Amino acid sequence: LSIGQSIQVKVTKIEPKSKKISVSVKHLTEDPYSKIINKYEIGKTYPATITKVQDYGCFAKLEDGLEGLIHQSELSWTKKNVHPGKILSTSQKVEVELLEKNIEKRRLSLSYKNTLPNPWTQFIKDHKVGDKCEGTIKNITDYGLFVSIKNTEFDGLIHYKDLSWSEKESELEKYKKNQQIK
C-alpha cells in the first residue's frame, strides 16, 4: 500500500466515544482458516508433525496454517508428571485425535494418547482382583512400597498394612529398593 492509494476496505469496528473506525482489507475475503478447519472432524485421527515442545504440552501441525495443542494430560495414559519433551520431540511425525475446535479463538485441542492402546484396558483384560503379580521395588516411603509391575507400564503401592498381618510399619525394613517382589 502507498499513501494516497484508493483501496476497498470492510468496516470491522466503530468506537463512537473515541471517534475511531477500524477497517480491514483481509476481511473482504473468506478467512482461509475457516476453509481449512472445516475439513477436520472432532473425534477423528489425523497425521501431524510436532512443531514445538513446551512445559504444558506440545504443538502439532496438521497442515500449513493449522496447528493445535496436545496438552500434557493428553500425551500418555500412565505418565502424569513428565515433561512433554520426554514423550514427543520437535519434527516427530505422530497421529493425533481432534478433541475440540474453537474457530473464534483459532484453537485446536488434540490428543496423542487416544491414538495409542490404553494400557488400563489391557491390564483389566489380563488381570482381576486376587491375581498375583511380580514386580520390582522402585521406592520405599514411610507408608509403603512403590512397585513397578512386571510386563506393564504401571506402578503399584503396597501400603505397609498390606505387607504382613501384623500391619506394622516396621515391616518396611525387610525390603530394599530394586528388590524383586511378588
Side-chain angles (χ1 to χ4, degrees):
L1 299 174
S2 59
I3 295 175
Q5 179 181 352
S6 284
I7 59 169
Q8 222 180 19
V9 295
K10 182 176 184 177
V11 176
T12 57
K13 194 182 213 180
I14 299 173
E15 298 177 45
K17 288 182 183 176
S18 61
K19 297 181 181 169
K20 290 183 181 177
I21 299 172
S22 298
V23 295
S24 169
V25 174
K26 77 178 187 181
H27 281 96
L28 291 172
T29 59
E30 185 181 1
D31 182 355
Y33 186 83
S34 298
K35 280 185 182 176
I36 294 171
I37 194 63
N38 289 329
K39 294 190 304 188
Y40 294 89
E41 293 179 45
I42 292 171
K44 295 232 172 148
T45 302
Y46 301 97
T49 304
I50 304 302
T51 57
K52 207 182 303 175
V53 176
Q54 301 289 336
D55 289 340
Y56 52 87
C58 299
F59 287 92
K61 179 173 84 170
L62 297 173
E63 66 176 85
D64 287 338
L66 189 63
E67 268 190 355
L69 174 66
I70 307 169
H71 188 269
Q72 181 183 19
S73 63
E74 291 297 328
L75 289 171
S76 172
W77 289 105
T78 56
K79 297 175 182 136
K80 298 296 178 207
N81 294 319
V82 66
H83 189 277
K86 294 197 183 228
I87 297 173
L88 297 173
S89 58
T90 305
S91 302
Q92 185 176 346
K93 302 216 180 302
V94 295
E95 291 284 316
V96 294
E97 179 185 322
L98 178 59
L99 298 177
E100 186 180 334
K101 55 184 181 179
N102 184 326
I103 296 169
E104 295 79 37
K105 290 184 178 180
R106 295 175 173 254
R107 289 187 181 164
L108 297 180
S109 294
L110 306 171
S111 176
Y112 173 65
K113 76 178 185 184
N114 285 358
T115 66
L116 305 170
N118 183 339
W120 290 102
T121 305
Q122 191 60 47
F123 189 85
I124 290 166
K125 273 186 198 172
D126 297 342
H127 301 84
K128 63 184 182 311
V129 173
D131 283 357
K132 294 177 183 174
C133 297
E134 292 182 32
T136 305
I137 297 172
K138 289 296 176 194
N139 195 18
I140 300 172
T141 67
D142 57 354
Y143 56 88
L145 308 174
F146 283 93
V147 177
S148 177
I149 301 170
K150 188 176 180 179
N151 300 322
T152 73
E153 297 178 39
F154 301 114
D155 290 339
L157 168 66
I158 305 173
H159 194 271
Y160 76 85
K161 288 186 176 188
D162 289 320
L163 290 172
S164 162
W165 288 105
S166 72
E167 295 188 356
K168 293 182 181 172
E169 285 181 58
S170 60
E171 290 294 321
L172 291 167
E173 296 168 12
K174 296 178 181 177
Y175 299 92
K176 294 188 178 4
K177 197 171 177 178
N178 296 322
Q179 179 181 340
Q180 298 298 307
I181 189 169
K182 287 186 180 184

